[in-house]
Amino acid sequence: MSAPPAGTLRLGSTAPNFQADTSNGPIDFHEYLGNSWGILFSHPDDFTPVCTTELGAFAKLEPEFAKRDVKLIGLSANSTDSHKEWIKDIDEVSGSKLSFPIIADPTRKISHLYDMVDYQDTTNVDSKGVAFTIRSVFIIDPKKTIRLILSYPASTGRNTAEVLRVIDSLQTGDKHRITTPINWTPGDDVIVHPSVSNDEAKTLFPKFKIIKPYLRLTPLEVNNN
Ligand code: BEZ
C-alpha cells in the first residue's frame, strides 16, 4: 500500500502552523492555540446561509468548549472587513455574541494548506465561482496533533453537539484506558481499551463486564483517575 502524498493531512498529522489576519487581528495559529485543544472549522464564503447558522451555534456553545479547554477558530475565504460585517448578521440572526477569531483566507492559501478545497472537480463551484467545499472541521489536541477531520457538503449544516461529543470522547480516552461506543455521551458505559488485560481491568474498572472477549464494557466512575 502506498503512503499518502506528501503534505496530505491525516489523523495523527501535526496541524500545520500559519500566520493569518483574523476578525480579531493577526495571529500565529500555534501561538493562538497555546496548550489548549483547538477546533478549526471553515467556510467557503461569508454571508452564506448554512454557514451563518453554524457560526452562531458555535458562538453560543463557546462556554462549553471553554470548560473543556478548547479554543474555537473559524475560517472563511474572504477578508477581515467582510468577516466583521458578517459577524454582525450572525449575532443578529442567532442571538450570539461571537468573539472567537475568524481567519481571513481570501486567497484560499490556508484552505489549500489544510486540504479543505475539493480538488476532485475544479468546475465544482457555485454560481459566484466559490470553490466547494471549504467546510471542514479539525479537532487539534494540545500537542498540535490532528485528532478528527470532517468535511461537510454545502447542503448540510454541521452538528455542534457532535463536535462537543467527540471532544468529550477524546479527552476521556486520553485520561483513562478506554474507548467509547456508538452514540456514547458522557455518563454512558465505555469500552475497556483492548490493551488492558482482564487482570488489569479488575483493578482499573472493578465493575467491567465481558460481553465478548473483545468487547468489555464498564461504567466510568467520575473519581476513577
Ligand atoms: C451555505 O449555505 O452556507 C453555503 C452556500 C454555498 C456554498 C457553501 C455554503
Side-chain angles (χ1 to χ4, degrees):
M1 200 162 54
S2 59
T8 304
L9 298 181
R10 294 279 186 268
L11 301 190
S13 302
T14 298
N17 195 24
F18 56 84
Q19 288 75 39
D21 206 4
T22 79
S23 50
N24 293 355
I27 60 152
D28 173 283
F29 184 54
H30 282 188
E31 270 177 28
Y32 170 75
L33 293 178
N35 294 319
S36 299
W37 289 71
I39 295 175
L40 168 64
F41 56 99
S42 60
H43 307 274
D45 202 12
D46 294 353
F47 304 103
T48 43
V50 174
C51 297
T52 299
T53 63
E54 291 172 329
L55 275 154
F58 272 111
K60 289 211 276 199
L61 216 54
E62 190 172 22
E64 287 301 318
F65 287 107
K67 259 192 230 166
R68 293 157 174 84
D69 192 24
V70 179
K71 289 189 177 171
L72 298 177
I73 185 160
L75 174 151
S76 185
N78 298 94
S79 67
T80 48
D81 285 346
S82 169
H83 289 354
K84 285 176 190 167
E85 288 306 308
W86 189 26
I87 289 169
K88 289 182 198 162
D89 277 9
I90 292 164
D91 284 344
E92 182 192 324
V93 167
S94 309
S96 52
K97 287 202 173 106
L98 196 157
S99 60
F100 55 79
I102 303 179
I103 297 162
D105 192 27
T107 62
R108 300 182 185 151
K109 192 173 147 196
I110 299 159
S111 302
H112 284 292
L113 178 69
Y114 271 76
D115 203 11
M116 294 167 171
V117 181
D118 184 352
Y119 280 99
Q120 300 303 315
D121 176 0
T122 50
T123 65
N124 188 11
V125 294
D126 75 1
S127 57
K128 292 193 289 177
V130 176
F132 289 130
T133 163
I134 318 186
R135 287 183 43 75
S136 304
V137 180
F138 289 83
I139 294 183
I140 299 164
D141 75 13
K143 291 183 177 153
K144 313 287 180 294
T145 303
I146 295 174
R147 303 288 296 274
L148 171 114
I149 303 174
L150 292 169
S151 291
Y152 280 77
S155 57
T156 308
R158 281 164 265 207
N159 185 325
T160 49
E162 171 63 0
V163 178
L164 200 58
R165 192 187 76 89
V166 177
I167 288 281
D168 283 334
S169 168
L170 289 170
Q171 293 187 343
T172 306
D174 284 1
K175 196 165 169 198
H176 306 280
R177 293 174 68 193
I178 61 95
T179 54
T180 61
I182 177 76
N183 293 334
W184 174 88
T185 54
D188 293 349
D189 282 359
V190 297
I191 296 171
V192 178
H193 195 279
S195 67
V196 178
S197 68
N198 284 342
D199 275 350
E200 281 180 290
K202 280 179 202 155
T203 314
L204 290 173
F205 310 108
K207 294 185 183 160
F208 89 103
K209 287 200 184 86
I210 301 175
I211 312 300
K212 291 281 178 191
Y214 55 85
L215 174 59
R216 298 163 300 167
L217 293 178
T218 180
L220 195 61
E221 311 297 340
V222 178
N223 62 358
N224 184 359
N225 286 313

